[in-house]
Amino acid sequence: MHPKTLLFDVGETDVVVIGAGQAGLSSAYFLRRAGMDFTVLDANPAPGGAWQHRWPTLRMATVHGIFDLPGMKFDPPSPREPAATAVPAYFAAYEREFGLEVHRPVAVSAVRPGPRLSVDSTEGTWSARAVINATGTWTHPFWPHYPGEFHGRQLHTAGYRGPGEFAGKRVLVVGGGTSAVQLQLEIATVAETFWVTRREPVFRAGPFTHEYGREIIARVDERVRAGLSPESVVSATDLGLTPEVVEARHRGLLARRPMFDRLVPTGVAWADGATLDVDVILWCTGWRAALEHLAPLGLRGPGGGIVMDGTRVVTEPRVHLVGYGPSASTVGANRAGRTAVREIRHLLGEASAYA
């Protein structure tokens, strides 16, 4: 539920950017370079986007990689520094370097159609000619539904704070992504762990090349152009076969089981009658795009997704989604910010010509 929205106008602007993570800051940078009037709204209390909420044990050594924001290099800190402090510090320095004023904490409750778009927020209502939405996914953890009832503890990756609280427990990790692997290896140092996934995990040896990255992004892009809910770039990527993962597999820590069929009071059960008793179920099942504030615009199609052309929403070209679908990665978000600003300049130029 959003905080109460104030019912008064706070101003007009060419573009409202919603969110100040990687995608939002990249967009703001290119808007500033283009000389456009814009306002950035961010629901977080401080710079850093979703990174400020990551679990404390996520160190820079285990982060996939932080791509430089446009115009300012990210100097890698110590590999042991928590990502939840290193990345927000970089984002804060970036905002200062380029004089990007971010209104925070300001939550957006709705974007409404009209001759100009109305952006309702806890700061008031902004009137904009275009909107760049960069709200990411962190606030929308995905919890799949399974029948039955489990009497132990359940939590999502978003609520994970470190392995210590699981000492001596039996922990079931659900999910086939990198987070599931990383957290399982952490928890296995203090607890007995088990792992289930819907599909057989695919481990990829060697570097993740640009060619491979383009292949993954193209697959996600194909889905959003067809109006389907986007498969995340992360979930579409194979698991890295790091030395730590190789060692864990040799020790039997990553012995994957197929997905269970139902919950039972003491754990989970499969259709063949097999059961597994556990104390905790950790759902590493990803996130969904945080777009409920765009509902008044009626963007979703019959396929449940939003038909996109690049960053532009086909049915409402004044709205651009960055950090969504194929641009939901650090390098993709930078490119998306540049693309969105270029297309909005073109759109507003045409609108002015016919005004």
Side-chain angles (χ1 to χ4, degrees):
M1 180 178 296
H2 287 285
K4 184 177 180 181
T5 299
L6 302 179
L7 300 178
F8 59 84
D9 293 336
V10 289
E12 293 187 351
T13 187
D14 283 338
V15 184
V16 168
V17 179
I18 308 174
Q22 183 99 14
L25 292 181
S26 172
S27 300
Y29 171 85
F30 289 112
L31 285 165
R32 172 61 53 80
R33 284 189 60 184
M36 300 184 70
D37 183 30
F38 66 95
T39 299
V40 183
L41 309 178
D42 185 45
N44 286 294
W51 288 100
Q52 63 195 279
H53 307 299
R54 305 288 186 182
W55 51 97
T57 52
L58 179 64
R59 309 289 177 175
M60 292 305 299
T62 53
V63 170
H64 277 308
I66 304 299
F67 196 81
D68 296 345
L69 281 160
M72 182 174 168
K73 181 176 175 55
F74 176 58
D75 294 320
S78 164
R80 298 300 303 161
E81 184 170 349
T85 58
V87 181
Y90 170 54
F91 283 14
Y94 188 84
E95 292 179 17
R96 292 192 300 269
E97 176 69 19
F98 295 103
L100 301 177
E101 180 185 358
V102 179
H103 299 244
R104 61 165 62 94
V106 177
V108 172
S109 59
V111 179
R112 304 183 187 280
R116 295 174 66 98
L117 296 169
S118 296
V119 181
D120 297 340
S121 78
T122 50
E123 191 173 58
T125 297
W126 289 89
S127 175
R129 301 171 70 194
V131 164
I132 295 178
N133 190 82
T135 46
T137 62
W138 183 260
T139 59
H140 277 222
F142 174 63
W143 296 70
H145 173 74
Y146 283 87
E149 183 178 355
F150 173 56
H151 291 173
R153 182 187 177 194
Q154 299 185 62
L155 73 158
H156 189 274
T157 310
Y160 177 80
R161 307 311 296 165
E165 60 186 304
F166 305 107
K169 304 289 187 181
R170 291 166 59 88
V171 181
L172 177 62
V173 178
V174 181
T178 299
S179 294
V181 173
Q182 289 181 351
L183 300 195
Q184 185 181 183
L185 296 188
E186 282 191 11
I187 295 170
T189 62
V190 299
E192 185 177 8
T193 61
F194 308 89
W195 187 30
V196 298
T197 68
R198 286 192 299 113
R199 294 185 294 269
E200 185 74 35
V202 178
F203 290 90
R204 182 183 179 88
F208 288 86
T209 64
H210 291 299
E211 291 74 17
Y212 177 65
R214 284 194 290 268
E215 176 187 328
I216 295 299
I217 290 173
R219 182 166 51 176
V220 179
D221 184 60
E222 184 178 358
R223 287 183 59 86
V224 298
R225 286 180 181 273
L228 302 175
S229 296
E231 180 185 23
S232 73
V233 173
V234 173
S235 68
T237 306
D238 297 337
L239 298 168
L241 199 58
T242 65
E244 294 78 13
V245 169
V246 171
E247 180 188 359
R249 294 180 77 188
H250 286 162
R251 294 168 54 198
L253 294 180
L254 294 176
R256 170 261 182 189
R257 303 181 186 209
M259 196 64 200
F260 53 81
D261 295 279
R262 67 186 187 280
L263 303 174
V264 296
T266 58
V268 297
W270 286 262
D272 63 3
T275 61
L276 176 66
D277 291 345
V278 295
D279 302 301
V280 180
I281 299 177
L282 174 58
W283 298 90
C284 298
T285 44
W287 287 260
R288 297 293 183 267
L291 301 177
E292 74 281 1
H293 54 288
L294 301 181
L297 299 175
L299 305 181
R300 293 195 183 276
I306 299 173
V307 180
M308 304 288 298
D309 182 8
T311 63
R312 177 173 56 86
V313 176
V314 170
T315 58
E316 176 49 275
R318 295 177 296 176
V319 175
H320 286 253
L321 307 184
V322 297
Y324 173 84
S327 64
S329 63
T330 54
V331 61
N334 281 1
R335 293 169 179 164
R338 182 195 297 268
T339 299
V341 171
R342 182 175 61 245
E343 294 197 6
I344 287 172
R345 288 184 68 189
H346 179 69
L347 172 72
L348 299 189
E350 283 191 349
S352 298
Y354 290 99

